[in-house]
Amino acid sequence: MRRRAILALFSALGLVGACAPSGKESQSAPPSRDGSWRPAPVAGASDPAKVVESAAAADWRDVDPANLLLIDLADGSRVTIELAPEFAPVHVANIRAFARAGWWDGAAVYRVHDNYVAQWGLNESERPLPAGVVERPPAEYDRPLHGLRPRPLGFPDSYAPIAGHAGGWAIGYDPGRGRAWLAHCYATVGAGRSLAPDTGAGGELYAVIGHAPRHLDLNIAAVGRVIDGIHALSARPRGTGALGFYTDRSADIGIVRARIAADIPPAARPVYQVLRSDSAAFSDYVTGRANRGGDFFERPAGGVDLCNAPVPVRRRPQPS
């Protein structure tokens, strides 16, 4: 995606069947007569960190190595991304093709926009697309709700009729329309694009490094999330150009290589696990996030934002 088109796009966007929760799930209070919502705190909710620590092995799912993108940067750091083909299958297939063709080898992180996104790729390059890449994918901004088993968050959302989780992903969904989509939370990865009807091929990617820009939901193809190494993007110096572009190309962060974990010998590939969002442990975790207690919190909030209940991820424990 060209820099000028990116500037125009992000300037414009800057203006502009459920499973019942289990466990000690907090229920949001009904709206009052004036239309406001009242939090309903739950006393004695479990500590979310302890819930994650004590979750059983069956509460976790392994990340498919075919959906694991490993990006090694020139300073020795690594950004690990779980891809979401169930939400953006054509874009994810493109990303796999880009990685396998070495598209990002020698590319760079060229934009770090404070409280917004870090973006990488080839920027102004005219390099031909690798074989097999669909140059103009469909607008994979949402998908049918059918086939998902969403767990509603249980609290109001400003950007969707219902917010919740499905398959270990934070989503917004609309039962009336029968559609669901990935939410732009911290660490969400999306495909950069030009102005509509362009949808971006996936060669230019960004990761959210600030407060959740949920206004991007349903406007750009979200293709996954950073599950390890987000600091390698979020802790970078901010670009001084418009929208966080580096004006001095010597400030670009070089990419040494990008690979799909499935293409690495099993003994050398990292293995990650995601807490299953359809588990009782996850419901207890969300309740704990919404009702912090312990020695520090004097008053449970009684509510939580979708992006403040991030799905826990861990490296798979080694057998003892």
Side-chain angles (χ1 to χ4, degrees):
M1 179 166 66
R2 300 293 177 264
R3 182 176 183 274
R4 289 185 296 276
I6 297 171
L7 290 172
L9 170 67
F10 281 96
S11 293
L13 291 177
L15 298 173
V16 297
C19 299
S22 59
K24 297 183 294 183
E25 181 58 36
S26 57
Q27 299 298 320
S28 56
S32 64
R33 290 184 178 181
D34 63 3
S36 61
W37 173 78
R38 299 285 189 271
V42 173
S46 300
D47 182 325
K50 292 180 180 178
V51 170
V52 173
E53 183 180 351
S54 61
D59 294 329
W60 299 86
R61 69 161 173 85
D62 287 356
V63 174
D64 186 340
N67 296 332
L68 205 58
L69 176 64
L70 310 175
I71 301 177
D72 295 323
L73 302 181
D75 63 359
S77 58
R78 170 177 284 180
V79 178
T80 302
I81 297 167
E82 181 183 12
L83 301 171
E86 56 268 61
F87 288 89
V90 180
H91 282 86
V92 168
N94 276 359
I95 289 168
R96 293 191 187 113
F98 280 122
R100 287 167 173 154
W103 175 265
W104 291 298
D105 299 359
V109 179
Y110 56 79
R111 176 191 181 204
V112 181
H113 190 171
D114 188 46
N115 197 33
Y116 202 28
V117 300
Q119 188 161 326
W120 64 93
L122 294 174
N123 199 7
E124 300 288 348
S125 173
E126 298 293 339
R127 184 187 302 182
L129 296 177
V133 168
V134 177
E135 184 174 0
R136 300 185 184 280
E140 297 179 308
Y141 305 156
D142 64 355
R143 56 150 287 169
L145 182 57
H146 179 74
L148 296 177
R149 298 183 62 218
R151 177 204 177 279
L153 184 68
F155 303 101
D157 187 77
S158 296
Y159 294 92
I162 306 177
H165 298 83
W169 297 94
I171 66 168
Y173 60 104
D174 184 346
R177 294 178 51 242
R179 307 295 292 180
W181 55 92
L182 289 181
H184 272 77
C185 295
Y186 183 77
T188 293
V189 175
R193 68 169 176 85
S194 185
L195 299 177
D198 183 48
T199 59
E204 305 299 312
L205 297 174
Y206 64 85
V208 175
I209 59 167
H211 183 76
R214 294 283 306 281
H215 58 284
L216 297 181
D217 293 2
L218 295 170
N219 285 285
I220 298 183
V223 298
R225 62 182 165 201
V226 178
I227 60 173
D228 198 6
I230 187 64
H231 64 279
L233 299 173
S234 63
R236 298 293 179 181
R238 276 35 181 168
T240 56
L243 298 178
F245 283 91
Y246 287 130
T247 55
D248 180 359
R249 297 307 298 268
S250 66
D252 290 1
I253 302 114
I255 295 174
V256 175
R257 62 182 177 179
R259 297 174 291 170
I260 299 297
D263 299 336
I264 300 172
R269 73 176 64 139
V271 180
Y272 291 86
Q273 295 184 316
V274 175
L275 188 65
R276 296 174 59 95
S277 55
D278 59 354
S279 66
F282 189 82
S283 284
D284 288 344
Y285 162 78
V286 172
T287 301
R289 294 287 297 187
N291 298 278
R292 298 296 191 93
D295 296 332
F296 182 83
F297 293 93
E298 295 186 5
R299 180 178 177 179
V304 68
D305 177 79
L306 176 64
C307 294
N308 201 28
V311 178
V313 179
R314 70 179 186 181
R315 293 289 288 262
R316 187 172 68 186
Q318 296 295 325
S320 57

